[in-house]
Amino acid sequence: MDSHKLKVLFISSEVEGFSKTGGLADVAKSLPIELRNLGHEVVIVTPFYRTLKQREHAKQTHLLNLHTDCSRPDIQFSVQELSLDGIKVLGIDNAHYFDRPGLYGEENNAYPDNGERFAFFSLAALLTALAEDFSPDIIHCNDWHTGLIPYLLKSRFHNNSFFTNSKTVITSHNSAFQGIFEKSQLNLIPEVSACMDERVLENYSYINFLKVGVLYADKVNTVSPNYASELLTTLGSHGMSNHFIERISDFQGILNGCDYNDWSPETDKLIPFNFDSNDLTGKHKCKAALQEEVGLSTLDVPVFGMVCRLTDQKGFGLIIPILERFLKHNVQLIIVGSGDPSITGHLTALAGHYQDNFKFIDAYSNELSHLIEAGSDFFMMPSIFEPCGLNQLYSLAYGTLPIVRAVGGLKDTVIDYDQDPDNANGFMFYDPNPNQLLNILRRALLLYIEQPEEMLRLKKQAMQSHFYWSDSAKRYERLYHDALHLDQHWEN
């Protein structure tokens, strides 16, 4: 393995342990730690939100000005330092942009100035690196919130010797979210708001942050090989296929890992009983504890769990039409999550009609999420699209068989029982059709009822499926070196 150690500036709008709305935060915690473990020097930059955990432990290290070069006054911000497992975390603190109840919005409504907020954040992150005297080899950008950074490196900072050798990588964690805004939100960065290049300003009137990042970064990746393939197609690219195809020689998919420090049934402190693949007694006890926790009878019936944001992406357009038919079987179903009010309304109404075997919890609870993974027999992820997915990885670790649609990272990580029973670790269907989902749910139910020994074998086999962040970090390490054009020998 190459011995050249890198300085990595890792920029993310959320980081697990500090702020979180989804899987991006998990990556922004686990990947920097593994890169550090490989010997690289990593600094994380993230917004210093009002709701940021550990705010009280932060210390201010800089008070900086962002020059707007326009009629508006300079924007002052401070840099607040925290630590993540010994890695420096620098929070960009500006009350106007980040002293708000939510990260991106409130009550399912995005903040109307999100374009300006994250344009500011992108520029402030680079100014913070300058103030820290941290001259990075790699600037790792994440999602649309940081999409301006590769362009800024090639425009405003093009002749700045501090960034002369810096290369950019952008990871798209979910390309459905692209950050599209009118150019009026970019007035604090004149070289963007006045740009006459349609690659930056489409119709000279609005910007797609993710598109700019994809077109200007030195390397581009997404979070699973299969999702990368989907992004090259018209159907699966959320309208971005031409841009990914344009960068195809610099584009790849790198599968996310699973943080087994947090998600291991052997050591999980958030579940009442620990267990491993050699002895599932603790899992059976967790099942009873889960049933009691949500108010279901502690019967020996299959428990199906689901924890997610309530959005169309997660497959509720497939679930709701067949839910009543499914609940007529001798099953129990627990869904935990919040989001779209129309989905919430449907689930609440059905839970009222099927109180004996369906519980819907309109909230997110980390403790309950762990208990569902540990205590359920099956975990439902019938996603319309899923860049990588993390819950199926958690489910596998706990011997909870994932039931997924063959998209994105779900297809990369789940092996279907009917297709390959000897190596299977779950169930998979293809067509985004409610009846196809119902068929696969019934197939899983039959296995549970008719073949308990085979069900036990499959659970144990699922627990042998491992997806380590250390492996993912080595692939990112190679991507970084490719970005730097280092001609080194790499071991497999």
Side-chain angles (χ1 to χ4, degrees):
M1 182 64 68
D2 177 76
S3 61
H4 183 74
K5 302 308 178 184
L6 305 176
K7 297 174 73 174
V8 180
L9 186 67
F10 196 94
I11 307 176
S12 177
S13 62
E14 53 187 80
V15 181
E16 167 64 35
F18 302 99
S19 56
K20 180 176 180 177
T21 65
L24 167 60
D26 297 282
V27 177
K29 171 192 174 184
S30 298
L31 179 54
I33 289 173
E34 290 299 336
L35 290 169
R36 186 276 314 277
N37 292 345
L38 288 172
H40 304 298
E41 183 179 359
V42 185
V43 172
I44 300 172
V45 182
T46 194
F48 198 71
Y49 300 109
R50 178 201 296 179
T51 56
L52 192 99
K53 297 176 184 177
Q54 305 184 43
R55 276 179 65 98
E56 67 277 10
H57 300 303
K59 64 175 182 179
Q60 181 173 312
T61 57
H62 304 284
L63 187 62
L64 304 175
N65 283 312
L66 187 155
H67 301 292
T68 62
D69 295 328
C70 60
S71 58
R72 62 188 295 171
D74 290 352
I75 301 172
Q76 189 175 78
F77 66 96
S78 66
V79 179
Q80 307 286 340
E81 183 177 325
L82 287 159
S83 177
L84 171 67
D85 195 35
I87 296 171
K88 186 181 292 187
V89 178
L90 302 177
I92 305 298
D93 189 12
N94 175 277
H96 175 67
Y97 293 122
F98 301 129
D99 187 10
R100 306 183 185 191
L103 274 59
Y104 313 119
E106 299 170 42
E107 298 180 355
N108 291 308
N109 293 310
Y111 292 127
D113 63 341
N114 273 344
E116 181 178 331
R117 295 175 73 221
F118 288 100
F120 159 76
F121 171 64
S122 295
L123 185 50
L126 295 176
L127 296 177
T128 297
L130 282 162
E132 280 284 311
D133 195 28
F134 185 79
S135 182
D137 297 296
I138 294 292
I139 301 175
H140 191 147
C141 308
N142 291 274
D143 273 347
W144 71 261
H145 318 90
T146 58
L148 285 183
I149 290 172
Y151 177 74
L152 289 169
L153 263 290
K154 290 178 168 62
S155 56
R156 175 174 294 203
F157 295 96
H158 178 65
N159 294 317
N160 189 314
S161 60
F162 188 81
F163 294 111
T164 296
N165 298 316
S166 300
K167 299 296 182 182
T168 55
V169 170
I170 188 166
T171 300
S172 176
H173 299 262
N174 188 337
S175 296
F177 300 104
Q178 298 172 14
I180 300 173
F181 304 98
E182 293 183 355
K183 75 171 184 178
S184 60
Q185 296 212 27
L186 304 166
N187 288 336
L188 58 85
I189 307 179
E191 58 265 59
V192 179
S193 62
C195 183
M196 298 301 289
D197 184 350
E198 281 209 23
R199 288 161 57 89
V200 177
L201 279 183
E202 299 189 30
N203 296 325
Y204 311 110
S205 60
Y206 67 94
I207 189 168
N208 180 321
F209 277 54
L210 180 61
K211 170 189 167 183
V212 172
V214 167
L215 293 181
Y216 282 88
D218 295 295
K219 292 290 180 180
V220 182
N221 83 288
T222 190
V223 290
S224 71
N226 191 57
Y227 189 56
S229 298
E230 292 171 359
L231 290 177
L232 299 175
T233 69
T234 301
L235 183 62
S237 69
H238 322 287
M240 289 276 293
S241 58
N242 289 341
H243 309 307
F244 287 109
I245 290 170
E246 183 176 340
R247 298 304 312 278
I248 193 167
S249 62
D250 296 306
F251 176 54
Q252 64 176 277
I254 299 176
L255 188 68
N256 283 341
C258 178
D259 187 345
Y260 294 107
N261 292 317
D262 291 338
W263 295 93
S264 169
E266 297 179 52
T267 58
D268 193 339
K269 295 179 180 179
L270 296 179
I271 61 176
F273 305 96
N274 295 113
F275 58 93
D276 60 30
S277 60
N278 295 317
D279 184 357
L280 295 184
T281 303
K283 183 170 180 63
H284 300 315
K285 292 179 179 180
C286 283
K287 179 175 179 176
L290 172 62
Q291 290 168 319
E292 291 180 359
E293 175 69 23
V294 300
L296 291 171
S297 299
T298 54
L299 303 173
D300 183 16
V301 299
V303 173
F304 292 73
M306 187 173 185
V307 181
C308 66
R309 290 177 290 109
L310 304 185
T311 65
D312 289 337
Q313 177 200 335
K314 299 301 181 180
F316 284 98
L318 309 181
I319 295 170
I320 290 172
I322 56 92
L323 198 49
E324 286 197 81
R325 280 184 283 167
F326 179 58
L327 291 172
K328 292 187 187 318
H329 294 291
N330 190 22
V331 300
Q332 293 177 346
L333 172 63
I334 305 163
I335 297 179
V336 175
S338 58
D340 188 325
S342 65
I343 296 172
T344 300
H346 280 295
L347 296 178
T348 301
L350 284 167
H353 287 296
Y354 293 89
Q355 297 181 26
D356 292 337
N357 63 335
F358 176 36
K359 297 297 178 181
F360 168 55
I361 294 91
D362 182 14
Y364 176 77
S365 164
N366 189 43
E367 291 78 7
L368 186 54
S369 297
H370 280 251
L371 187 55
I372 286 176
E373 292 289 10
S376 299
D377 297 294
F378 303 97
F379 194 94
M380 292 168 52
M381 293 184 72
S383 303
I384 301 304
F385 65 95
E386 194 66 60
C388 178
L390 291 172
N391 275 107
Q392 85 277 17
L393 305 185
Y394 306 154
S395 299
L396 292 169
Y398 290 77
T400 298
L401 303 181
I403 298 172
V404 307
R405 200 166 86 79
V407 291
L410 302 179
K411 189 175 180 180
D412 286 321
T413 53
V414 176
I415 302 171
D416 178 60
Y417 180 73
D418 288 329
Q419 291 186 358
D420 187 358
D422 291 340
N423 298 298
N425 56 16
F427 295 87
M428 188 159 51
F429 70 106
Y430 286 81
D431 293 336
N433 180 293
N435 287 325
Q436 290 294 313
L437 171 59
L438 182 59
N439 289 342
I440 202 76
L441 291 173
R442 286 170 169 166
R443 177 69 186 89
L445 175 59
L446 278 174
L447 182 73
Y448 181 96
I449 295 171
E450 296 183 350
Q451 298 176 269
E453 291 186 1
E454 182 70 347
M455 180 74 186
L456 179 61
R457 182 190 72 82
L458 198 55
K459 285 184 175 184
K460 291 185 174 183
Q461 187 158 280
M463 296 178 76
Q464 303 305 315
S465 304
H466 297 296
F467 300 89
Y468 295 110
W469 265 115
S470 55
D471 294 331
S472 301
K474 291 174 184 176
R475 294 183 177 94
Y476 276 101
E477 183 182 49
R478 177 178 297 190
L479 181 66
Y480 295 164
H481 282 283
D482 286 346
L484 292 164
H485 304 296
L486 294 178
D487 185 17
Q488 301 289 343
H489 172 71
W490 290 92
E491 299 176 2
N492 292 325

